[in-house]
Amino acid sequence: MLNILVTGAGGGVGQGIIKSLKMIKDIPMNIIAADMSELAAGNFFADKAVLLPSSISDEYSPELIQVFKKNKVDFYFPGTDIELKYCSEKKQLFKDQYGVNTVVSSLGTVEIADDKFKTAYFLKENNFSFPETIYANEADPKKIKFPIILKPAKGYRSIGVFKIENEEELSHHDLKKKNLILQELIGTEEEEYTCTIVKANGKLSPVLALKRILRSGDTYRATPVQSKIIESYIHSIAERLEIDGGCNFQLRLDESGNPKVFEINSRFSGTTPFCAQLGFNPVEYYLKTSLGESYTPQIDYNSQILRYWSEIVVEKNSVKKLKQDKLITKPNFKYFDISKT
C-alpha cells in the first residue's frame, strides 16, 4: 500500500494530481491531501486531509515532516509552484531521513522554468528554437519589431501579459520595473500548444501535445495532436533538463511551422487530468516506472477535452473538524455527476 501526499489541494494542479491518482486501479494507495485552507475542495477527494501552513513560513518544514512520519509517506507530489524550490533543496534529505520520494526536478531545472528569461536563454544556449527575449529595461524602443509581448519574467496565469502593437503603446508602461521582459510574438492563438512529458528512473515518457484555447490563463479546451515536429522538439529539450516527474512545455508555431517554447512548468500541470482521461496518465506513468512496472499510454486522438465547472457539497461539521484538528479521515462529499442525470 502506497501512502501518497499531494499538496495544494485547493488549486487545479493539486486537484488534477489527485484525480489522476484516483484513476489508477491496480496500485493500492492512500491519498493524503494537504492545503492551507480547510475549505480546499481537494481535501474531500482524498482518503485523508491535513492542514499545513504556508510553505514560506518557518512552521512549514517541521509540520510537513510530521505528516511524513505519521503517515509513512512514500511519495510527495508538490501541487504548488511556491513549493518547488524548497522541495528540490530538501529532496535528498527527505529521502535519506524519512524515506520519502519527493517528485520534483533539480534545482537548476526549477530555476530555469521559474524565469522566462532564463527559459529563453537555456533554449538559445542549447541550440533549440526560441522566442527572442530581452529585459525591458535594456531595450531600445526605436529598434523593437512590433507587435511584441511585454510580461513578467516570473509570472503566472497570464497576469501582467500585454501585446504591444507600437512604440506609443509601449510608452504607457514603466520599462524600468524589475522583472519585465519583452518577447517575440510567436504565431497566433490558433497554433498554441501545451505539452506534457514525464521522467522517472531516468526514462522519458512519450510526449502528449494538446492544442489549446485559454480562458483566464488556464487551458479551457484542448485537442490532442500528433506532431512529430513538436514531439521531437519537446523530447530533445527534456533530455537536456534534469527532470524528475512531470514537466509541462507551452509553445506556439511560428510562421514557418517551427515550435518555440515560451514557458516551462517543471511540475505536473493543470492539464494532467486531461492527459489521463485521453489515455496517458502522467502520474500513473511516473509511479509505475518508479516501481519498476510497465505502463504504455494509449492516447485517444479522436477525442477532445472541454473543461466545465462543478461543485461538491460537504458537511459543515467535517470542515469544522478539519479546521480544529488539522486532520480528517475518509471525508464525505456529494458530487453532481452530469453524466448520470
Side-chain angles (χ1 to χ4, degrees):
M1 178 76 72
L2 292 181
N3 296 309
I4 300 175
L5 173 66
V6 183
T7 53
V13 173
Q15 290 176 21
I17 294 171
I18 294 171
K19 288 179 186 177
S20 300
L21 285 169
K22 292 176 77 70
M23 291 178 66
I24 304 171
K25 303 304 181 183
D26 55 352
I27 299 179
M29 67 178 75
N30 288 313
I31 303 171
I32 306 143
D35 199 83
M36 292 171 56
S37 172
E38 70 277 7
L39 296 175
N43 290 333
F44 300 90
F45 298 157
D47 299 295
K48 180 185 290 188
V50 297
L51 293 188
L52 286 172
S54 167
S55 62
I56 61 173
S57 74
D58 293 337
E59 293 78 25
Y60 186 74
S61 192
E63 291 201 26
L64 178 66
I65 289 168
Q66 287 303 309
V67 172
F68 290 164
K69 291 179 176 179
K70 290 178 180 179
N71 296 279
K72 298 181 179 179
V73 171
D74 297 296
F75 289 90
Y76 165 27
F77 287 81
T80 64
D81 286 321
I82 199 168
E83 292 173 273
L84 298 181
K85 185 174 183 293
Y86 164 84
C87 288
S88 186
E89 291 172 340
K90 300 290 186 181
K91 180 174 182 171
Q92 193 60 50
L93 182 148
F94 289 162
K95 179 64 175 177
D96 293 343
Q97 295 193 10
Y98 311 108
V100 176
N101 298 287
T102 305
V103 188
V104 67
S105 295
S106 73
L107 181 59
T109 296
V110 169
E111 290 177 340
I112 288 169
D114 190 47
D115 187 307
K116 295 174 182 62
F117 184 86
K118 290 183 179 179
T119 296
Y121 184 80
F122 164 81
L123 294 171
K124 180 180 179 180
E125 287 296 293
N126 286 277
N127 298 313
F128 296 113
S129 57
F130 69 99
E132 293 290 342
T133 306
I134 189 172
Y135 282 115
N137 59 12
E138 297 177 359
D140 181 351
K142 301 292 184 184
K143 296 181 179 180
I144 292 173
K145 181 182 177 181
F146 295 98
I148 199 166
I149 298 296
L150 174 68
K151 61 184 177 182
K154 296 183 179 182
Y156 56 94
R157 292 177 60 87
S158 300
I159 296 172
V161 178
F162 299 93
K163 180 182 177 182
I164 307 296
E165 297 286 353
N166 51 53
E167 189 175 341
E168 181 182 355
E169 284 188 16
L170 189 62
S171 69
H172 297 308
H173 297 269
D174 183 3
L175 303 186
K176 294 181 180 180
K177 282 186 177 180
K178 190 178 179 181
N179 194 40
L180 283 181
I181 60 172
L182 289 166
Q183 191 166 76
E184 171 193 359
L185 175 64
I186 313 158
T188 65
E189 293 179 358
E190 287 71 33
E191 290 295 341
E192 183 162 314
Y193 299 81
T194 179
C195 305
T196 292
I197 192 168
V198 184
K199 192 172 187 179
N201 278 348
K203 180 181 177 182
L204 282 170
S205 74
V207 176
L208 177 51
L210 302 175
K211 183 181 283 192
R212 70 177 187 173
I213 296 175
L214 291 176
R215 184 167 181 169
S216 300
D218 285 329
T219 301
Y220 180 54
R221 297 174 181 140
T223 303
V225 174
Q226 289 180 289
S227 168
K228 290 184 179 179
I229 293 175
I230 293 176
E231 291 166 15
S232 175
Y233 173 67
I234 295 301
H235 193 277
S236 296
I237 295 173
E239 286 182 319
R240 298 288 181 93
L241 291 168
E242 294 179 17
I243 295 171
D244 182 33
C247 198
N248 170 256
F249 298 82
Q250 297 173 18
L251 64 86
R252 284 188 180 184
L253 302 183
D254 66 14
E255 294 176 353
S256 301
N258 297 314
K260 292 184 177 180
V261 163
F262 60 84
E263 182 172 327
I264 300 174
N265 294 301
S266 59
R267 52 164 170 74
F268 290 95
S269 78
T271 56
T272 295
F274 289 24
C275 299
Q277 292 178 80
L278 288 168
F280 170 36
N281 189 329
V283 180
E284 185 172 3
Y285 179 92
Y286 182 83
L287 286 176
K288 288 187 173 178
T289 303
S290 297
L291 296 170
E293 300 178 15
S294 62
Y295 173 73
T296 303
Q298 300 291 334
I299 300 170
D300 178 9
Y301 287 100
N302 294 315
S303 297
Q304 62 188 103
I305 297 288
L306 307 177
R307 176 169 266 163
Y308 75 102
W309 287 264
S310 190
E311 307 79 29
I312 64 169
V313 179
V314 300
E315 295 178 352
K316 288 183 179 179
N317 286 339
S318 296
V319 176
K320 183 178 179 181
K321 178 176 174 57
L322 179 55
K323 184 176 183 179
Q324 289 179 342
D325 300 344
K326 295 187 177 181
L327 169 69
I328 189 172
T329 57
K330 301 296 180 183
N332 294 317
F333 67 92
K334 296 178 182 178
Y335 171 69
F336 176 67
D337 187 347
I338 195 169
S339 68
K340 294 181 180 179
T341 60

